Amino acid sequence: MSEKLKVGVIGATGMVGQRYVTLLADHPWFEVAVVAASAHSAGKTYAEAVNGRWKMQAPIPDGVKELPVLDANDIEAVTSQVDFVFSAVSMSKDEIRKIEEDYAKTETPVVSNNSAHRWTPDVPMIVPEINPEHSDVIKYQRERLGTKRGFIAVKPNCSIQSYTPALAAWQQFEPTQVIATTYQAISGAGKTLEDAPEIVGNVIPYIPGEEAKSEDEPLKIFGHVDAATGTIVSADAPTITSQCLRVPVLYGHTAAAFVNFKQKPTKEELVAALESYSGEPQKLGLPSAPKQFIQYMTDDFRPQVRYDVNFENGMGISIGRLRPDKIFDWKFVGLSHNTARGAAGGAILCAELLKAQGYITKK
């Protein structure tokens, strides 16, 4: 691109906002032009606003250190300077739904990390390798919002990234039932191990709202755009049940999953389907796309967070321990990076896809 698109990050001072800022530092298509947060941070430089609470291992990028933090509620001030925004605001769901629609109605596309709009019927919830065609629903959303350019797109919950890509690769074998137990990193709660003494040497068996997301969101991803209603209709299968636990790990969500299939694939067929699976991001060569979306690991002791969470810069999925089960057909272990693929990185890849599809353009 000869000229980068100007991006605003709203909710820029939180952990996901910090990850956005870090990942966008040298992006070939996008440039952070605005950082916005709560009124408490407004008026400070970005470096001042995150002083003492910078959670990334990389330093604050030079390009944003001295940017003034705007009030995320001052929508006109933000949108007048950007082509689109990433949303990582921390508010109630009703407040998030309203502010994201208010941004979209200024003809500013919103790519959101938040869950508030995931079940809005005409808002696409995209994993770019799996359901890029769901962006087709944007035209119906624009009709509802009364916009020509503005819209909202969301990325799904971080917990599903460690097993849903495998289910996508295995769609030809028609998965019917899935059990998924996830072991989720503390950064998923916006904390580090230092911020969360309650997790050290501990496992917490409940993450509010997470199990419903883990069970239902894959079905929207596997669904289809219905032109008659202008909405996304969820798939009927597979039936998914889950339990979600918080564990003393900084980055990386691990899943132990069990699957039944209508067809009866062999292990060789399942592994081949994983290793050969790719999608539009790979075909288009999008900047954040992993070359290998899913890797299969033959060592029984892998995948491990310590060694594998950063596969493909955290944008790839690692699957291992695929073996027959006594009750289900097959079982496996999956691993994904929860703040790269599962949060900011997944949203950036979604924005790249939407740009390539012509939905995000220069104002």
Side-chain angles (χ1 to χ4, degrees), residues 9-175:
V9 179
I10 59 173
T13 57
M15 181 177 269
V16 174
Q18 292 176 21
R19 177 69 73 173
Y20 274 122
V21 165
T22 304
L23 291 175
L24 290 166
D26 298 306
H27 196 281
W29 292 4
F30 307 144
E31 173 185 26
V32 177
V34 171
V35 286
S38 67
H40 173 75
S41 296
K44 300 175 182 176
T45 66
Y46 186 69
E48 290 169 342
V50 298
N51 183 40
R53 55 193 183 114
W54 181 254
K55 301 177 187 295
M56 300 294 104
Q57 292 165 328
I60 303 170
D62 290 335
V64 300
K65 274 184 182 177
E66 300 306 316
L67 284 179
V69 178
L70 302 186
D71 185 340
N73 287 297
D74 191 349
I75 295 172
E76 184 179 347
V78 175
T79 58
S80 65
Q81 302 179 57
V82 301
D83 297 306
F84 74 101
V85 298
F86 289 111
S87 173
V89 292
S90 180
M91 301 174 174
S92 72
K93 279 189 169 45
D94 286 342
E95 289 173 318
I96 292 171
R97 275 191 284 268
K98 183 179 187 308
I99 197 170
E100 290 183 347
E101 287 205 356
D102 287 347
Y103 268 87
K105 286 175 180 176
T106 70
E107 302 293 0
T108 304
V110 177
V111 180
S112 179
N113 183 73
N114 299 304
S115 64
H117 271 295
R118 287 185 193 152
W119 289 99
T120 303
D122 57 11
V123 170
M125 180 168 64
I126 296 175
V127 178
E129 286 88 352
I130 299 176
N131 61 330
E133 73 284 356
H134 280 201
S135 59
D136 290 348
V137 82
I138 288 170
K139 62 187 173 190
Y140 304 111
Q141 183 193 148
R142 283 172 168 165
E143 289 173 7
R144 175 175 64 84
L145 295 176
T147 60
K148 291 184 170 61
R149 188 178 179 278
F151 66 89
I152 302 162
V154 299
K155 53 146 289 298
N157 186 259
C158 53
S159 69
I160 74 169
Q161 311 283 343
S162 48
Y163 57 91
T164 301
L167 301 179
W170 294 335
Q171 282 296 293
Q172 61 187 305
F173 306 118
E174 300 179 72

Side-chain angles (χ1 to χ4, degrees), residues 186-203:
I186 192 65
S187 56
K191 299 180 180 180
T192 65
L193 294 169
E194 290 74 23
D195 299 333
E198 70 275 10
I199 197 64
V200 177
N202 195 21
V203 172

